[in-house]
Structures are given as structure tokens and as C-alpha cells.
């Protein structure tokens, strides 16, 4: 239950409201709910390049059990997303993945004939994408673009927007980098989901201390609309998840979990999981003329 403590000096990114915003609970930072629009966010917002530099340990022993072993699961999810994108952006061939991590989605898209580029602020992950996968990935953030880019047919942000300090700026920049008939797709956790409501502050999206924003259907739609997009589809679909990731997030006692992880190191199958707590949103830029 929300307590009665009022959040000091944390203005809502979505509606600018300052008055009456409540602290829902404390994690590594207080989690705030905007009294006016309902946006949920951590306060203070952590900027990119701050405490969280997404080093190798983030991907291998931190939030992820071992991100590199999730490659097969990510490629399976990519196959389905790329089919949707081929239908929604017919003739589209150029794709930018924002927050592309080690580039596994980009690798799958390239295999399907897309001309791909990526942005990733993690030096560790972007170097992996460049060196191991020979992908065109820049160590940069979409919120602080310093040069001109070509326009893309498709821009993707997979589980990225919740990490950003300025998701509004990111979406504005993405719009500038898109063709008029381009498609933007993003995925992010759903704060309004049943799973979040029953798991409270133990919800898995809260386990990543780099998450700044916890959108629900209403707030993500509002953000996209304010930044000049119209929603094509919003879905809560499942995805293939590696056994090691499932164990890592399971909340099992450490001894049990670690035994499972040892097995998963040799044999790490993907399982299809739909907890219905992630939204996938397809959107288009609203025409200005
Ligand atoms: Zn608000």
C-alpha cells in the first residue's frame, strides 16, 4: 500500500506534476507515483554514465545470469518480431536497434536481409557486437545524439526505454531518425499487470537497479502520443527465455538456484513464457502535414 510520504522535488517527466506525488516504497531508490498522471518512476532518475556503466558483470553475474547464453532465445524472439515488422513496414530494409546490448537482435535481422545499425551505451556490450559479430554498433545514447543519422524504416527499443533518463528525448530523436512511414517498436514492463500487483516490490522489473521508469498501458500510450506517435498495436505477449535466466529470476533459495544454474551452463534450453507483464508496442510517427 502507498504510504503517505510525499516525494520531495521530483517532477513527473510525463505531465510535469510536482504536487502530491507519493513514495510507493523504497528499493535502492524511492519509487514514486505521479499523483496526476499515474507514471511510476524511481527518484532521483539515474542518468546514463552515472553509477550504472553496464560493465561485463551487469551482463554476466548481475541482472543477467549470463547474457551471452541467451543468444538462442533472443534470436527466436527476433524471428517473430521481424515477421511483424516486414508486414508493418513493407519494403523497409533499414533498422536501428536502440540499446542493442551485444547485438543478438541485430544479428538475427541482418540474417533476414535487413541493413542494421545499433546504439548501445555499454562499452562491454557494444564492443562485443562490433568485434564478435561484426555489427555496426556505436557506443552512444539516443538521448544525446551528436551528429546526423540517415533515416530508418524501423527503430526498435527492446526493454530499453525503462533504463533511459529521458525517454521523451529518446522518442523525439527516434522520430527525427525515422522515415515518414517508419515503424517504431518498443517493449517494456507493464506496471499495471496482474503479476506486478501480486508480487509488489518483488516484481522482477524492480530487481534491475538501472530501471528508472515503470510504465503501464496508459502512461506508455501517453508518452508516445506526446512525442508524436500513433499506436498501431499494443500486445502482452510472451517470449522465449533461457533456462538460466528463468532460474536467475526465480526467487528460489540460492542453493537450489545455483544447482540449476550449474546444469543450465551445459544445457540451456529456451522455454516459451508469457507472464503478461511486458507490453510490446508498435507505433508510427503522426504525419505533420
Ligand atoms: Zn505525471
Amino acid at each position: 500500500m502507498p504510504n503517505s510520504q510525499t516525494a520531495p522535488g521530483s517532477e513527473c517527466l510525463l505531465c510535469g506534476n510536482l504536487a502530491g506525488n507519493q513514495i510507493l516504497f523504497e528499493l535502492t531508490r524511492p519509487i514514486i507515483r505521479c499523483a496526476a498522471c499515474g507514471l511510476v518512476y524511481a527518484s532521483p532518475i539515474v542518468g546514463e554514465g552515472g553509477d550504472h556503466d553496464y560493465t561485463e558483470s551487469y551482463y554476466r553475474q548481475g541482472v543477467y545470469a549470463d547474457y551471452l547464453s541467451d543468444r538462442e532465445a533472443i534470436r527466436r524472439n527476433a524471428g517473430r518480431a521481424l515477421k511483424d515488422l516486414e508486414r508493418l513496414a513493407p519494403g523497409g530494409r533499414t533498422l536501428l536497434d536502440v540499446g542493442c546490448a551485444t547485438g543478438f537482435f541485430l544479428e538475427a535481422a541482418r540474417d533476414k536481409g535487413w541493413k542494421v545499425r545499433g546504439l548501445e551505451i555499454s562499452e562491454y556490450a557494444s564492443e562485443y557486437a562490433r568485434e564478435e559479430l561484426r555489427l555496426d554498433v556505436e557506443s552512444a545514447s539516443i538521448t544525446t545524439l551528436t551528429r546526423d543519422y540517415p533515416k530508418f524504416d524501423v527503430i526498435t527499443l527492446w526493454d530499453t526505454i525503462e533504463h533511459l533518463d529521458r525517454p521523451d528525448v529518446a522518442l523525439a530523436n527516434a522520430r527525427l531518425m525515422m522515415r515518414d512511414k517508419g515503424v517504431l517498436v518498443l517493449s517494456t514492463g507493464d506496471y499495471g499487470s496482474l503479476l506486478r500487483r501480486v508480487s509488489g516490490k518483488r516484481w522482477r522489473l524492480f530487481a534491475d537497479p538501472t530501471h528508472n521508469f515503470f510504465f503501464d498501458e496508459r502512461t506508455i500510450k501517453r508518452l508516445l502520443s506526446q512525442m508524436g506517435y500513433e499506436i498501431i498495436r499494443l500486445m502482452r505477449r510472451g517470449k522465449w527465455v533461457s533456462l538460466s535466466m528463468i532460474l536467475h529470476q526465480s526467487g528460489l533459495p540460492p542453493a537450489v538456484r545455483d544447482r540449476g544454474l550449474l546444469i543450465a551452463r551445459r544445457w540451456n534450453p529456451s522455454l516459451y513464457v508469457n507472464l503478461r507483464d511486458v507490453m510490446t508496442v508498435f507505433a508510427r510517427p503522426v504525419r505533420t502535414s
Side-chain angles (χ1 to χ4, degrees), residues 12-17 21 34-39 41 222:
C12 174
L13 175 111
L14 197 51
C15 75
N17 179 60
N21 295 347
C34 172
C37 76
L39 180 66
Y41 54 98
R222 178 166 173 172

Side-chain angles (χ1 to χ4, degrees), residues 210-226:
T210 66
H211 287 170
N212 283 320
F213 292 95
F214 306 94
F215 295 98
D216 61 14
E217 183 166 338
R218 212 157 51 108
T219 53
I220 196 68
K221 279 181 168 171
R222 178 166 173 172
L223 176 66
L224 282 160
S225 163
Q226 283 180 197

